[in-house]
Every structure is written in structure tokens, then in C-alpha cells.
Amino acid sequence: MRSISLFSGCGGLDLGLHEAGFKTVLASDSEKLCAATWRQGMPSTPFLVGRIGTLTRAEIIAALGGKIGEIDLVAGGPPCPPFSKSRFYRKDMPRALEDPNGWETINGYLSMLDWVRPRAFILENVKGLAYKVHSSALETIIERAEKLGYNVSTGVLNAADFGVAQIRERCFVVGSLDAKVTLPLPTHSREPKSGLLPWVNTGEVLHDLDTEENAGDEGHFAGGQHHDLLRQVPPGDNYLYFTEKRGHPSPRFKWRGRYWSFLLKLSPDLPSWTIQARRSNNMGPFHWRNRILRISEIKRLQTFPDEFELAGTIEQQWRQIGNAVPPMLAAAVGRSVAEAIGAELRDAA
């Protein structure tokens, strides 16, 4: 099944879709660095570099060899800042479709559906897209997709519920020209019941990467001026450990006076919290050994293959992985879409 990838990043969504039976015939992103990553891992896939608002239908046709042909899927996750939780605290900045970048990316995605007319689509974004305050944006996406003939479904999925060792909630908007797509049901649970498996913990996926040989690696110092405090934070806790409300004898911080991820430390007995796109020395999650995670470790937490290569510096590689959809979650959504398309084929037969 042929798919077009938008806002492709390093290809996390696409790696999962390949597992579900799709083949990316064209990818696109505004960052040249992402194109370099694709050339390393998926060199045969044509890659257009440019903002989606500047891409034309003629460029799409040319990149596909002169004709669009039948496209089974368009998939992509428009950049999330306009819909992120952090925008609630930035009253000086526009939100959702009032943000010019938010409008350009969403409008560009929907224009691609009109140009290409895929049999199905997947649009992924942060959980904030589903918030009531952003309802007009979600309604715009649904209404325009329905006008193009798509049956649309929406939902928020947690990567941890699908075998990813990371609590990462994302909003998915999916549609099909015929059979309605049913988003996948969880395979894992915090409290397993009815045949569900328990959440996968960080200790299970990182244990072999944290050996005595590399325990003293330089370049992963965490906590900055608060490193000594980080060492005192119990695994699975954060700066709130040092607040009066938590009963600390010598409080250092006010309750909810910092971002949740400040001095946030992983526990080997729990899934990770969301891996952010920015590598920081005081905003976690950090390893329970009081250091910044390594690229090899965040790849594991995002379910990328160990051998997956990324272009750029450590910070640039981190941003690419942190922005990506975990391939394991993408595969689950992709299988649901493939099943709906399969139903269409059976009906047609």
C-alpha cells in the first residue's frame, strides 16, 4: 500500500506504517537535516524539503515520477507547539489556528488530501489538539475532511497502552473514503486485566545499555547547579520531593513552582514519561543513575531500532527522536487503517 509522509521528521510514524504494510513513496519536511536522516535509512524514498505551505501539486507529481497514481494513505504529524500545553502559559503567543504556523501546517495537510485523494489518512498531534480550548481547530479538520468524502474518527492514544515503555498521549485523527477506521484497542495496561499485558517498564528496555563499561561516560551530566539535589530525588519522582507540601524537612522549591519535568527521574520499575524534543541538563526525564539519557536509550524508549541512524549533532538527533511518533504505536494505528482499507477491497470484490 502506497503512502505519502508529511512532516516526516526522522520517520518514526513511517517506520511503524511500514510494519503495518505500507510503503512510503514520498516524504517531506521543512528541515534539511531530516532529509539527511532519510538518506541514511531510507535512501530510495524521494524527499521534498520545504514548508508545506510552499509545496505545490506540480512538485508532488514530479517527485512521484510524473503521476500521482493511487495513494492509499497520507500520514503526518503537523508541528505541535500551537496546540501544546505550554501555550496555555504563553498568553503573549497565539494558539491553534490563530497561530500562522498552525494554520499553514493544518491547511497544508488538508490541501494535500484534496490534491492526492488518498483512500485514508492519519493526522497525529499532541493531546492538546483534543482540548476544548482547541475545539475549533479539531472541528475544522473534521469538517474539511468530511467535505472531501472521508469518514473521520478521532481519539487520544497512550503509547504505553501499546507496548511502548513511555507514557506518551497523542491525538489521532483518522479517516477513510469508505469504511470507517476504528482506532486500535490497547494491548497493555497500568493495571492489567481482561487479557491485557502490563505496561513495559524502562528497566526492561534499558538494562543492557547501562553497563559498568559505560557507566562513567562523560557528556551526560544532569541537573546543572542542582545536580546534588537530583541525586537525592528518589527514582520516579521530581523536584516536588523538595517541597513543604511533600513534607521535606528543608524545602527548596514551591509546590508547582517549576515545570513537571524539572529534576524528573526515571524509575526502572515504571514506564518513562514523555521524551521531549529538547535535550536539557535540568528538565528530564533523567536516568535513575542521575544522568542525561543517551541517544541509544531514547531510541529504545521510543521503540526505534538500535541500528537506526540519525544525522546531526547529539542535540539535533535528540530533537528528531523526541518529535517522532513511536514506531510501535504507529504500527498499531497503521494496522487499523489497513484493516479498514482491506474491508473496502472486500466490499469492492
Side-chain angles (χ1 to χ4, degrees):
M1 296 174 287
R2 303 172 75 231
S3 66
I4 290 178
S5 171
L6 303 177
F7 316 104
S8 305
C10 66
L13 180 58
D14 304 279
L15 289 175
L17 292 175
H18 296 170
E19 292 265 340
F22 293 91
K23 177 183 179 181
T24 304
V25 296
L26 177 64
S28 175
D29 200 278
S30 61
E31 283 202 42
K32 294 181 180 178
L33 183 68
C34 296
T37 292
W38 275 71
R39 284 196 297 271
Q40 291 180 177
M42 292 171 272
S44 63
T45 304
F47 198 104
L48 291 177
V49 177
R51 294 178 67 94
I52 194 167
T54 67
L55 295 180
T56 66
R57 190 173 188 274
E59 288 178 292
I60 302 300
I61 293 173
L64 290 171
K67 65 177 182 178
I68 291 176
E70 184 175 273
I71 300 298
D72 296 291
L73 178 69
V74 164
C80 64
F83 306 100
S84 66
K85 182 182 289 187
S86 63
R87 279 295 166 93
F88 288 114
Y89 306 103
R90 296 294 304 274
K91 304 300 182 184
D92 58 319
M93 298 184 71
R95 290 205 300 254
L97 298 185
E98 294 178 1
D99 183 313
N101 290 322
W103 168 253
E104 178 186 354
T105 54
I106 294 298
N107 183 62
Y109 183 101
L110 293 168
S111 295
M112 186 67 68
L113 294 186
D114 191 18
W115 295 345
V116 175
R117 300 291 292 172
R119 294 167 61 203
F121 73 86
I122 298 172
L123 188 153
E124 176 270 349
N125 215 281
V126 292
K127 183 183 178 182
L129 178 60
Y131 290 172
K132 185 176 181 180
V133 69
H134 296 149
S135 60
S136 62
L138 187 56
E139 288 168 4
T140 296
I141 295 169
I142 295 171
E143 288 174 5
R144 284 185 56 179
E146 287 179 341
K147 285 182 179 179
L148 291 173
Y150 290 94
N151 290 310
V152 182
S153 304
T154 67
V156 173
L157 303 180
N158 186 345
D161 290 339
F162 297 89
V164 181
Q166 183 185 172
I167 299 169
R168 188 183 187 97
E169 293 183 297
R170 289 296 185 267
C171 179
F172 284 86
V173 185
V174 296
S176 168
L177 287 175
D178 289 303
K180 193 164 186 174
V181 179
T182 301
L183 286 170
L185 295 175
T187 55
H188 295 66
S189 174
R190 181 200 299 265
E191 299 176 357
K193 55 185 178 181
S194 302
L196 296 179
L197 298 169
W199 276 355
V200 178
N201 300 330
T202 56
E204 297 176 54
V205 298
L206 300 183
H207 70 281
D208 62 316
L209 297 179
D210 190 49
T211 63
E212 291 298 325
E213 289 77 10
N214 63 27
D217 279 0
E218 296 180 358
H220 301 282
F221 184 81
Q225 64 179 327
H226 301 296
H227 179 73
D228 289 341
L229 295 181
L230 177 64
R231 295 179 65 87
Q232 298 175 52
V233 173
D237 213 331
N238 63 0
Y239 80 96
L240 294 175
Y241 174 74
F242 293 102
T243 60
E244 182 179 7
K245 188 170 182 177
R246 290 281 294 275
H248 197 277
S250 302
R252 299 294 297 269
F253 304 106
K254 293 182 180 179
W255 184 258
R256 294 187 177 176
R258 302 274 185 146
Y259 282 111
W260 164 259
S261 55
F262 184 65
L263 303 185
L264 179 62
K265 186 187 294 187
L266 295 177
S267 166
D269 301 320
L270 298 170
S272 170
W273 288 274
T274 300
I275 299 299
Q276 306 288 342
R278 179 172 175 267
R279 185 174 183 265
S280 169
N281 74 347
N282 54 33
M283 308 295 281
F286 299 116
H287 196 281
W288 53 87
R289 296 193 188 278
N290 311 302
R291 59 171 175 77
I292 298 174
L293 293 165
R294 304 183 181 100
I295 294 298
S296 60
E297 290 168 331
I298 63 169
K299 285 199 297 184
R300 286 275 184 94
L301 294 176
Q302 282 277 65
T303 65
F304 275 79
D306 287 351
E307 65 275 12
F308 187 82
E309 296 184 8
L310 295 134
T313 65
I314 295 296
E315 283 72 21
Q316 290 171 329
Q317 291 180 34
W318 185 293
R319 187 178 74 249
Q320 291 175 74
I321 293 291
N323 276 330
V325 179
M328 187 174 288
L329 174 60
V333 177
R335 284 190 288 269
S336 290
V337 172
E339 184 177 348
I341 292 176
E344 294 174 29
L345 290 174
R346 287 192 295 272
D347 290 345

